[in-house]
Amino acid sequence: MSTSEDNEPGPSTSKLGETELLKDEEYFMEDYFVTFKAEDLLFRVPTHRFFNESPDFVEIYNIKAHAQDISDPIILKQVPHNDFRNFLKALYPLSFSLQLSLSKEEWLSVLTLSSEWRFLRLRDTAKGELERLSSLTSVEQICLGRQVRICHWVIQGFTDLVRRDATISDDEAIAIDCDVVTTSYKLFRLRELRIAGRLLSPMAAVEDTFKEELERIRSEEANFDNEEIIKMQHQALKIEEEERMREEEEEQRRELEKVKRAEAEMAAKMEEEKEREEAERLSRLRDTLARSKKKKKNTSGSSQWGFSANSGWD
């Protein structure tokens, strides 16, 4: 039987010099900063959430796991800076809270960009928060559901329009039929059937009438909700991170060997210099002794043959 300790991530190891250190798998962040340009504003944030949350985004914008020059920002074309700021509020909240407090408009920005860039967990969070707020209109559910591939929003929006007493306005019809020309007409027909009492289940009728579109949305929505895809993405990121760490450790090892070689060469040179100085000292000492002996010998010879003032020649 496994315990909670069995499920806790274990630390990885790294060697710095001769000391073995442990790195926590969750809270040892080897992080760098990346700069983005959205419209006329620059944004600069750490990179780790992009690597952890969306390998697709990392690949699309070629984000590297090293420091990036602030003068060379990643340009987010056709992304309003307000939308990107709202997106970062969810990805990098500036205040600690177990519950993110964003407005409906901010969550809409988060949902749109997280869907486009495949931040899957952030997309699920934004979707859940918007559903919790219960502030989306029927038309918003339809348009957003189509845009970011949330099938049950489209179904709910269609069904609500069929069930409600008020007719579909011109503005609503234009919004709904922006991409699909016959949607409003089909909804009008379903409304008439419901009013006439000939429609037992509005939702079932919506499913049947818009079957082709809904199947397409469901198919594309599955790409966001496939847990296996998420696992594969995170596994790929983990392998890439492990490879990067191995390369860094190998680089550290090479640098350490280089330092050791330099120290050994320096020690050898110092030893060689010491031996040379010792040899020179001994040579000077021998020369001094030789000169001393020669001088002593010369002095002794002068005393033996030299003239004495008292006795003349000795």
Side-chain angles (χ1 to χ4, degrees):
M1 179 177 178
S2 63
T3 64
S4 60
E5 293 181 355
D6 295 331
N7 298 325
E8 291 180 357
S12 61
T13 61
S14 175
K15 287 188 176 180
L16 184 62
E18 295 299 324
T19 305
E20 186 176 83
L21 303 176
L22 300 179
K23 295 180 180 179
D24 187 87
E25 291 187 355
E26 291 183 279
Y27 290 101
F28 187 91
M29 300 180 185
E30 300 183 80
D31 211 354
Y32 301 96
F33 277 73
V34 60
T35 305
F36 296 95
K37 180 177 180 292
E39 294 184 323
D40 57 347
L41 284 184
L42 292 178
F43 300 83
R44 187 164 175 81
V45 291
T47 60
H48 71 273
R49 297 301 296 273
F50 299 105
F51 281 93
N52 290 342
E53 298 297 331
S54 179
D56 294 66
F57 184 86
V58 170
E59 183 177 352
I60 290 171
Y61 291 102
N62 196 27
I63 297 177
K64 303 296 185 182
H66 56 67
Q68 181 221 10
D69 192 338
I70 193 172
S71 63
D72 185 27
I74 293 173
I75 298 175
L76 303 175
K77 296 180 180 179
Q78 298 180 338
V79 176
H81 64 256
N82 283 332
D83 281 351
F84 191 60
R85 183 189 295 111
N86 293 336
F87 174 77
L88 292 179
K89 285 181 181 179
L91 193 63
Y92 289 102
L94 297 180
S95 60
F96 174 77
S97 174
L98 295 179
Q99 180 73 43
L100 283 174
S101 180
L102 301 183
S103 66
K104 171 186 171 182
E105 288 69 26
E106 289 172 332
W107 279 122
L108 288 174
S109 298
V110 174
L111 177 63
T112 302
L113 293 181
S114 63
S115 298
E116 178 181 348
W117 293 331
R118 294 186 62 78
F119 285 77
L120 303 185
R121 286 186 291 209
L122 198 55
R123 167 187 157 92
D124 286 342
T125 299
K127 183 171 68 172
E129 287 299 312
L130 286 168
E131 290 174 348
R132 185 182 64 82
L133 292 173
S134 300
S135 59
L136 293 178
T137 67
S138 301
V139 173
E140 285 176 329
Q141 285 182 311
I142 295 168
C143 294
L144 279 169
R146 284 171 168 172
Q147 179 185 351
V148 300
R149 304 299 185 262
I150 301 177
C151 189
H152 74 269
W153 281 11
V154 179
I155 294 172
Q156 188 62 52
F158 285 163
T159 304
D160 288 346
L161 290 179
V162 172
R163 283 176 173 165
R164 80 180 191 186
D165 294 330
T167 187
I168 299 173
S169 69
D170 291 342
D171 289 340
E172 289 175 329
I174 291 171
I176 294 171
D177 284 331
C178 180
D179 296 317
V180 185
V181 178
T182 59
T183 303
S184 295
Y185 167 75
K186 292 177 180 178
L187 291 174
F188 274 122
R189 187 178 63 186
L190 292 178
R191 278 173 47 79
E192 290 174 357
L193 292 173
R194 182 190 65 81
I195 293 170
R198 296 164 56 191
L199 198 63
L200 297 178
S201 173
M203 184 171 289
V206 164
E207 287 268 12
D208 183 62
T209 303
F210 298 97
K211 180 179 179 180
E212 184 177 342
E213 179 184 359
L214 295 176
E215 285 181 350
R216 184 178 68 252
I217 294 174
R218 282 196 183 99
S219 175
E220 295 175 358
E221 184 179 14
N223 292 327
F224 291 104
D225 298 331
N226 193 325
E227 289 296 328
E228 190 62 32
I229 292 177
I230 298 175
K231 290 179 181 178
M232 290 173 62
Q233 290 175 339
H234 283 283
Q235 183 64 25
L237 276 177
K238 184 177 180 181
I239 293 173
E240 182 179 338
E241 179 66 13
E242 289 174 350
E243 180 63 26
R244 185 179 66 82
M245 291 178 65
R246 280 195 295 270
E247 290 177 357
E248 288 183 356
E249 290 177 358
E250 180 63 21
E251 181 64 23
Q252 289 179 357
R253 186 188 64 78
R254 287 195 295 267
E255 287 296 323
L256 183 60
E257 289 180 353
K258 185 177 179 181
V259 170
K260 287 182 176 179
R261 284 196 301 270
E263 290 176 346
E265 290 174 1
M266 180 64 70
K269 287 182 180 179
M270 291 177 65
E271 185 64 27
E272 183 180 343
E273 181 68 18
K274 184 178 178 181
E275 290 177 356
R276 186 182 64 79
E277 290 177 353
E278 181 65 17
E280 290 179 353
R281 188 184 69 81
L282 291 175
S283 178
R284 288 194 299 271
L285 181 59
R286 283 194 294 269
D287 290 345
T288 301
L289 290 174
R291 286 195 298 272
S292 178
K293 287 180 180 181
K294 185 176 181 180
K295 183 176 180 181
K296 186 176 181 181
K297 183 177 180 181
N298 291 338
T299 303
S300 176
S302 298
S303 298
Q304 184 177 359
W305 301 102
F307 177 77
S308 173
N310 296 325
S311 58
W313 293 96
D314 290 338

